[in-house]
Amino acid sequence: MELSIKKFINELKVKPFVIFLAIPFAVQLLSYFVTKGSMDIYDRVKIPPLSPPSWLFPVVWTVLFGLMGISSYLVWNEDSPYTKQALGIYGIQLAFNLCWNVLFFVMEAFLVSLIWLMGLLILIIIMIAAFRRISPAAAYLQIPYGLWVAFACYLNAGIYYLN
């Protein structure tokens, strides 16, 4: 199934699209409220080389959550017997994502959060494969997320090792 921007816009179902876009942003907002008192962690711990500036994290996560919303909408919008399973995996990985923030920022359990993050990365890979069965475009939109979480594993491992 080929996806073009023109086709996407012409076939867009606005209300479901907004809902699917809102879901990951709701997770992002919840994460913010749960961790807002703990976000100064980068000022208090030793960080590994290649660590980006702290202002970059919310920018990247906003883009990634936007891509997640679009991607999940594309999967939902396809007529496939695998849609429910793929969206279930998507929901589980969103929950894993939220829990990682608590483990890392609130509890400062760096080893546990690293193991949890590796589990999240595995879930993302499974989700990408599930999405690909339904909508290759949806799967491709998740690749930056997988890459960022792989990089986050490096950062988490470095913080664990250095602290």
Side-chain angles (χ1 to χ4, degrees):
M1 307 252 175
E2 195 173 317
L3 178 73
S4 71
I5 299 293
K6 186 177 178 179
K7 180 182 175 195
F8 175 79
I9 292 170
N10 288 336
E11 297 178 4
L12 183 67
K13 297 171 185 146
V14 176
K15 186 176 179 181
F17 178 73
V18 169
I19 291 169
F20 277 95
L21 204 55
I23 291 169
F25 285 119
V27 170
Q28 184 181 28
L29 188 62
L30 182 58
S31 174
Y32 168 76
F33 284 118
V34 169
T35 62
K36 72 178 178 179
S38 310
M39 295 306 286
D40 65 340
I41 197 165
Y42 287 104
D43 298 329
R44 295 185 286 110
V45 298
K46 294 177 189 168
I47 56 175
L50 305 177
S51 293
S54 31
W55 63 263
L56 185 62
F57 289 95
V59 173
V60 170
W61 280 111
T62 298
V63 170
L64 294 176
F65 280 122
L67 292 175
M68 281 185 223
I70 295 167
S71 180
S72 61
Y73 167 80
L74 292 174
V75 168
W76 171 84
N77 200 39
E78 290 293 329
D79 184 25
S80 170
Y82 305 112
T83 298
K84 188 174 183 179
Q85 177 188 28
L87 291 176
I89 296 166
Y90 170 72
I92 292 168
Q93 70 78 28
L94 276 175
F96 257 69
N97 185 310
L98 178 63
C99 290
W100 176 82
N101 285 291
V102 172
L103 292 169
F104 185 86
F105 290 106
V106 178
M107 299 175 70
E108 296 187 19
F110 300 137
L111 179 58
V112 174
S113 64
L114 173 60
I115 294 164
W116 193 268
L117 195 57
M118 289 188 289
L120 174 60
L121 183 57
I122 291 166
L123 280 169
I124 293 167
I125 292 166
I126 293 168
M127 178 186 63
I128 290 171
F131 278 21
R132 192 170 190 292
R133 291 171 102 180
I134 301 162
S135 168
Y140 297 139
L141 289 174
Q142 294 290 349
I143 291 173
Y145 177 39
L147 294 173
W148 183 256
V149 169
F151 180 62
C153 284
Y154 157 76
L155 294 174
N156 194 150
I159 289 170
Y160 168 69
Y161 177 75
L162 294 171
N163 296 278

